[in-house]
Amino acid sequence: MKTKDLTKKIYIAVIVFSVLLSFFALIPRINAENKNKILDFAISYTDLKNTAQEQNISVKEAAGLFKEWGANSVFYKENTVQDLVNDGRVFVTNRQGMKALGYAGNYYFNGNECYVLTSDGKLSARLINHLKYKIGKSKVEVFNFKGQSAIAVNIPLISLLNTGVGFDGEEIRNIESLGLHTVLMIKNWPLVNDESIKFVFNDLANSADMITAVLFSDKKIPGFTNKLKEIGDEFKNKNLSLGTVEFYNQTGIEKLAKLLNNRVIRLHSVADNELLSISPENMIDRFTLAAKERNIRILYYKMLPVDEQNAKLQLNADVISKTVQKLKAQGFTVESGENTIPSPYNNIHPGRLLQLLMGMGPIAAFSLILKQIKFSYHIFVFLSFTLGWIILLFIVPALALKLMALASVVVFPVLTIFVLLNRNKISISRAAVKIILLTVCSLCGAFIMSGLLSSTEYMVKIDQFTGVKAAYLLPVVLATCLVYLFSGRENPVKKVRSLLEEPLMVKYMVLTLVFLAVGLIYLSRTGNESTVGVSPLEIKIRYLLDRVIGVRPRTKEFLVGHPFMMLLLHLGYNDKKLPLLILGAIGQVSLVNTFAHIHTPFLISILRTFVGLAFGIIIGIVLCIFVDYSTNLYKRWIN
């Protein structure tokens, strides 16, 4: 008996020790999140040009207007040959076109080449350099034609028009003189070698002085797979930060970020097709939430479309100024000038020994569950899992950390519900106290998981917690099964056998189908990319909660999980209340999984959890009172 008590105390001590150690991993992360408050509110250079044209002012004057409203940065996409054609700065034709123009000189290629004509000497030099380095010197020939610079390029027309040809450095520096920062997005190019990589990054450094970040526009990063190191070396040599676009997956971006020691700045923008439907209020809320809750440090603003030019300018001026004011009210800095450029997070990483010791917590919690169900070999499981954890952590650390993080969010809600669930009825006030205790115990798993993954690559979402669907489904299933099989005095084997011998009734079939449908919706709405869309009404409610409370509690917690768990605690568990257990378990599982979003600042997740708990308790009290009243009314009615 004493040995049994001793092992239980050991498991609890290991859990407590692991939770305490998690704070040593979390403190550097929390400090970094609190200090990194400088933002870029970037407007599109295309919008600058269009505004200048619509208002009949210079681009620099237009930039000054945006600066007055609060913008402190300009976002430039690399010019393509097509952009220069659209601007009327170059003329592109084929061999037949050259003949029609009167050219009678030598032709350098086989007849399928294209020709680029311009009278701008500086632009011509820029085009020649970019085309030679990016396509190949053997495919580019330069000659004079009627006093213009002519460039013959031996590639198909569509490829030529899509080729990036750098930035207008004079224009960028002209705008930078206002103190506005620069965000650059470059295109992939065909000939990615050492020479072209050096040229591209030298050109970037010569184009701007106050570069916040450099991004890539294509789905595949230049140099993937064999030249990423050289790309990374140029980022380091030029002291540039890599920009990543939220919700835009790019092949090779993770590897490049790791080569840069996660020197990454995240960018958020509204997609072009969303601009037609998003309201100004939702735009303001969306940008604020991106900065506050997802570690976004570049907000790329595209002008909301309005037909009338002056109305368009007024509307967007209002949205920009209100957004910047709201960001500043949240403690962010949105200022112009060289000393206010956003910087990436320092490379934070918990030590291997610290990670090893934190990982002991979930193993101890799992062993404690085995002990509670009287599994004789729980000590052997604890020792063998510990040995496996140590080996895996040093051989495949990335995989080991993700597996142990998943174990943390699965095991702790199960242990908490199984141990603390009461079978006898208790008062509503005691049920409220007990759900607080449930939440605190479940949070042990959240703290350990957060500590294990408190690294910069997770904070900027270069890497992320995996197994989200399993983390939401397994704890609910396991907790339900454990409580059903082991919470009473009946033998679990006999209980399963008895259940299997029960006749199948239609009402149970219908109930099962309902729960399956609810379960599918529940799973489809979890994870980083939900497969079920969020209704416009729900979006409005979410934004309303954010405005009123400051942080939005999770619906699964305050509206479903916590109220039904409170009701179950109040009434006391028996097998007939199994549906209540399933619904109640969702709240505990959701609050732990809230912390799996490592790119959300830790203190925001804490606040969201306790706000959700407070609302859940209030709704739970109302639900308990309603059920008690309805039950009493029913008893009086039947009597």
Side-chain angles (χ1 to χ4, degrees):
M1 184 70 180
K2 289 183 179 179
T3 304
K4 291 181 180 179
D5 290 340
L6 180 61
T7 55
K8 182 177 180 179
K9 289 177 180 178
I10 289 172
Y11 294 149
I12 293 173
V14 171
I15 292 168
V16 172
F17 185 58
S18 298
V19 173
L20 291 175
L21 285 177
S22 69
F23 287 97
F24 287 95
L26 287 167
I27 287 170
R29 171 187 163 188
I30 293 169
N31 287 337
E33 289 168 342
N34 288 337
K35 290 177 182 177
N36 195 322
K37 294 289 188 179
I38 299 177
L39 297 178
D40 255 13
F41 192 96
I43 43 94
S44 165
Y45 179 67
T46 301
D47 283 340
L48 271 188
K49 288 199 303 180
N50 291 340
T51 301
Q53 187 175 25
E54 290 166 1
Q55 300 298 317
N56 196 26
I57 56 178
S58 69
V59 174
K60 186 174 182 179
E61 287 172 321
L65 284 177
F66 282 91
K67 182 183 177 183
E68 286 178 14
W69 302 332
N72 66 335
S73 182
V74 180
F75 182 97
Y76 301 85
K77 289 185 178 180
E78 182 176 13
N79 293 146
T80 62
V81 174
Q82 181 68 68
D83 293 331
L84 298 178
V85 171
N86 294 343
D87 288 344
R89 301 181 67 187
V90 302
F91 176 76
V92 176
T93 187
N94 57 15
R95 183 176 289 192
Q96 295 303 315
M98 291 297 290
K99 288 179 179 178
L101 290 171
Y103 179 68
N106 293 326
Y107 292 99
Y108 298 95
F109 302 108
N110 61 8
N112 295 319
E113 71 276 6
C114 304
Y115 294 85
V116 183
L117 307 177
T118 179
S119 57
D120 185 332
K122 287 184 179 179
L123 180 58
S124 174
R126 175 178 144 198
L127 286 166
I128 291 166
N129 283 328
H130 277 271
L131 293 172
K132 282 186 174 181
Y133 279 104
K134 292 180 176 178
I135 295 171
K137 294 176 183 178
S138 63
K139 294 185 177 182
V140 179
E141 292 289 343
V142 182
F143 58 96
N144 287 318
F145 173 60
K146 295 184 178 180
Q148 294 190 81
S149 174
I151 309 167
V153 189
N154 193 23
I155 58 172
L157 178 62
I158 188 67
S159 299
L160 173 64
L161 293 175
N162 199 41
T163 300
V165 288
F167 302 89
D168 188 334
E170 285 188 12
E171 181 73 300
I172 291 175
R173 282 197 167 84
N174 188 34
I175 293 172
E176 280 188 337
S177 67
L178 297 172
L180 296 175
H181 309 150
T182 298
V183 180
L184 301 174
M185 175 177 272
I186 60 176
K187 292 182 63 63
N188 205 338
W189 64 94
L191 186 62
V192 181
N193 55 26
D194 293 354
E195 195 176 21
S196 66
I197 290 170
K198 286 185 179 298
F199 166 76
V200 167
F201 280 88
N202 285 334
D203 185 66
L204 289 177
N206 292 330
S207 297
D209 294 319
M210 294 192 292
I211 301 176
T212 300
V214 175
L215 301 94
F216 298 99
S217 61
D218 298 286
K219 293 293 285 184
K220 187 174 78 170
I221 301 300
F224 183 80
T225 58
N226 61 337
K227 288 295 178 183
L228 281 182
K229 183 182 181 303
E230 288 75 10
I231 296 279
D233 288 342
E234 287 302 313
F235 265 95
K236 292 175 185 176
N237 294 338
K238 302 296 187 295
N239 196 30
L240 298 170
S241 298
L242 173 65
T244 60
V245 182
E246 190 176 31
F247 309 128
Y248 183 54
N249 298 321
Q250 294 178 286
T251 304
I253 197 78
E254 296 89 354
K255 290 185 177 179
L256 179 57
K258 287 174 182 177
L259 287 170
L260 297 173
N261 293 321
N262 303 305
R263 187 180 169 83
V264 169
I265 299 179
R266 302 183 73 212
L267 176 146
H268 175 79
S269 184
V270 176
D272 291 343
N273 60 322
E274 292 180 271
L275 291 174
L276 299 173
S277 58
I278 192 168
S279 69
E281 293 77 17
N282 286 353
M283 176 79 91
I284 294 167
D285 289 333
R286 179 162 163 172
F287 273 20
T288 307
L289 289 176
K292 185 175 73 173
E293 297 191 5
R294 300 199 300 279
N295 278 333
I296 298 295
R297 292 299 174 262
I298 302 175
L299 298 167
Y300 173 31
Y301 182 83
K302 302 170 189 173
M303 291 185 74
L304 293 169
V306 178
D307 291 336
E308 205 277 314
Q309 292 177 4
N310 289 327
K312 175 183 175 183
L313 199 65
Q314 184 56 51
L315 172 67
N316 285 280
D318 191 49
V319 173
I320 292 171
S321 60
K322 285 182 178 178
T323 305
V324 172
Q325 287 169 15
K326 192 170 181 181
L327 289 166
K328 289 181 177 180
Q330 295 287 340
F332 292 101
T333 298
V334 189
E335 304 294 345
S336 57
E338 191 171 354
N339 296 322
T340 57
I341 298 175
S343 59
Y345 286 105
N346 293 328
N347 199 27
I348 300 167
H349 197 281
R352 192 69 74 218
L353 178 61
L354 183 58
Q355 291 173 330
L356 189 152
L357 294 173
M358 283 190 290
M360 299 286 290
I363 299 172
F366 180 66
S367 302
L368 187 55
I369 292 174
L370 296 179
K371 178 177 170 51
Q372 291 295 113
I373 64 173
K374 297 180 172 56
F375 181 74
S376 303
Y377 302 102
H378 58 86
I379 297 175
F380 173 75
V381 170
F382 177 75
L383 294 174
S384 58
F385 275 31
T386 298
L387 180 61
W389 160 241
I390 294 169
I391 293 170
L392 195 63
L393 183 63
F394 284 94
I395 294 176
V396 197
L399 175 63
L401 289 170
K402 289 183 179 182
L403 287 175
M404 193 55 72
L406 178 60
S408 298
V409 300
V410 170
V411 171
F412 278 93
V414 173
L415 174 64
T416 300
I417 293 169
F418 182 58
V419 172
L420 295 179
L421 190 63
N422 52 282
R423 295 186 69 87
N424 299 319
K425 185 171 182 176
I426 60 176
S427 66
I428 295 175
S429 59
R430 284 187 64 195
V433 171
K434 199 159 191 179
I435 199 170
I436 293 171
L437 182 60
L438 276 165
T439 298
V440 171
C441 292
S442 293
L443 280 174
C444 292
F447 289 164
I448 292 172
M449 180 270 296
S450 298
L452 288 169
L453 302 184
S454 282
S455 303
T456 308
E457 61 264 32
Y458 289 94
M459 294 167 65
V460 295
K461 214 175 177 183
I462 289 300
D463 207 342
Q464 58 184 317
F465 175 82
T466 51
V468 176
K469 304 292 184 187
Y472 272 94
L473 179 62
L474 283 177
V476 175
V477 173
L478 291 174
T480 304
C481 291
L482 282 173
V483 171
Y484 178 74
L485 294 174
F486 295 99
S487 65
R489 295 179 179 179
E490 190 178 348
N491 184 289
V493 176
K494 289 182 179 179
K495 200 166 187 178
V496 171
R497 191 176 296 165
S498 174
L499 178 66
L500 293 174
E501 290 174 355
E502 287 286 331
L504 189 61
M505 300 178 70
V506 173
K507 64 179 180 180
Y508 293 126
M509 289 178 62
V510 172
L511 190 64
T512 302
L513 290 173
V514 169
F515 265 89
L516 284 173
V518 171
L520 286 173
I521 295 170
Y522 165 68
L523 283 178
S524 64
R525 285 173 60 91
T526 62
N528 298 303
E529 293 180 7
S530 170
T531 54
V532 173
V534 181
S535 69
L537 176 61
E538 187 173 349
I539 290 174
K540 289 179 181 178
I541 294 171
R542 288 182 176 186
Y543 285 141
L544 178 63
L545 287 170
D546 277 308
R547 290 191 202 113
V548 174
I549 306 169
V551 64
R552 176 180 60 84
R554 297 207 179 279
T555 308
K556 290 188 285 287
E557 294 168 34
F558 83 91
L559 207 55
V560 180
H562 296 329
F564 283 106
M565 180 57 77
M566 255 198 76
L567 179 63
L568 182 61
L569 293 170
H570 171 55
L571 298 176
Y573 172 79
N574 59 48
D575 290 345
K576 292 181 179 179
K577 299 188 183 76
L578 205 60
L580 280 183
L581 174 61
I582 295 171
L583 293 172
I586 288 172
Q588 298 301 305
V589 172
S590 176
L591 74 87
V592 175
N593 277 275
T594 292
F595 292 81
H597 302 276
I598 307 296
H599 59 283
T600 298
F602 182 78
L603 295 181
I604 291 287
S605 296
I606 286 283
L607 181 59
R608 170 171 283 138
T609 295
F610 285 105
V611 168
L613 179 62
F615 274 78
I617 289 174
I618 293 168
I619 296 172
I621 291 170
V622 173
L623 182 61
C624 290
I625 293 171
F626 173 77
V627 170
D628 284 350
Y629 177 78
S630 301
T631 303
N632 291 332
L633 195 65
Y634 176 73
K635 286 179 180 178
R636 285 202 301 264
W637 182 72
I638 62 172
N639 290 331

